[in-house]
Amino acid sequence: MGCSSSLPDRGSGRLAGPNLENAGAPDSKNLRVKLVLLGDSGVGKSCIVLRFVRGQFDPTSKVTVGASFLSQTIALQDSTTVKFEIWDTAGQERYAALAPLYYRGAAVAVVVYDITSPESFSKAQYWVKELQKHGSSDIVMALVGNKADLHEKREVSIEDATDYAEKNGMFFIETSAKTADNINQLFEEIAKRLPRPTAQ
């Protein structure tokens, strides 16, 4: 995993289950959600996750091999708790064929690009198309422009990204894993958009 190594939570080695897994009756106040991060290599997916889960940033981060798994729980103002089971996928081309294993059954997809790299924005659009073809029909998708701290080197405009997100039913946010800007807001916004199970 980039942004330093990580160990999975104890007892969390399982692959995906359904979108919202709860034992017994659905519990609309305690959600457990599979989230997958997709995007080109080097855009900062691992750094976003590490900043969110551990509040850390490692500028000497290693490239993710295959995928890594972390989890984090947040509480919303309405007292709902959301446990994100986060699959951080490798961005290199040779791992692209593995991605469907990770986004199958995901309730959330976070598609990340680097605001200084038009190529990474094109790759983000590729992943959006893949999710639209093969992902869950009710998946919550976020388009994330990372490395917002490098705004003086920006090559992807906010307008282009906002326009693309709106056309594809996603919400858009710019983040900086380095400064922690908008990292927590990203996951809070996702949590608010999740479908709530209704008790039978």
Side-chain angles (χ1 to χ4, degrees):
M1 160 170 181
C3 274
S4 89
S5 62
S6 75
L7 295 170
D9 280 3
R10 285 186 295 276
S12 61
R14 292 174 303 103
L15 269 167
N19 284 0
L20 297 168
E21 298 176 26
N22 286 294
D27 180 351
S28 61
K29 286 293 181 189
N30 297 290
L31 308 179
R32 202 164 86 202
V33 176
K34 180 181 176 185
L35 180 152
V36 64
L37 280 101
L38 297 163
D40 214 354
S41 185
V43 297
K45 300 183 297 296
S46 299
C47 296
I48 288 171
V49 175
L50 207 66
R51 177 61 86 177
F52 174 55
V53 174
R54 299 201 179 137
Q56 296 172 347
F57 179 77
D58 178 3
T60 62
S61 67
K62 310 288 184 289
V63 168
T64 304
V65 176
S68 62
F69 175 85
L70 286 156
S71 68
Q72 177 71 309
T73 301
I74 65 169
L76 299 179
Q77 287 180 330
D78 67 358
S79 75
T80 300
T81 62
V82 179
K83 181 177 183 182
F84 287 112
E85 298 181 340
I86 304 167
W87 289 93
D88 173 20
T89 65
Q92 302 101 307
E93 203 59 53
R94 66 179 180 270
Y95 294 115
L98 295 174
L101 296 173
Y102 299 109
Y103 63 68
R104 187 177 299 128
V108 181
V110 177
V111 182
V112 185
Y113 70 92
D114 171 349
I115 70 162
T116 71
S117 166
E119 297 79 14
S120 72
F121 186 55
S122 297
K123 186 68 179 210
Q125 294 174 41
Y126 161 81
W127 284 119
V128 171
K129 290 189 184 83
E130 286 295 295
L131 288 162
Q132 288 167 338
K133 276 193 284 193
H134 306 295
S136 161
S137 59
D138 60 351
I139 194 165
V140 175
M141 288 199 288
L143 180 64
V144 178
N146 193 36
K147 306 192 184 180
D149 53 289
L150 300 177
H151 52 85
E152 71 283 357
K153 297 180 182 171
R154 173 189 296 280
E155 290 197 36
V156 180
S157 74
I158 290 175
E159 294 73 25
D160 286 351
T162 303
D163 187 49
Y164 181 78
E166 284 174 358
K167 284 180 178 157
N168 287 279
M170 310 170 76
F171 81 90
F172 168 68
I173 191 168
E174 286 196 346
T175 59
S176 169
K178 185 174 184 178
T179 64
D181 195 37
N182 276 347
I183 298 292
N184 288 345
Q185 290 86 333
L186 163 64
F187 290 92
E188 286 163 12
E189 189 59 40
I190 289 167
K192 287 178 197 165
R193 290 164 184 262
L194 290 168
R196 300 290 194 262
T198 50
Q200 301 302 314

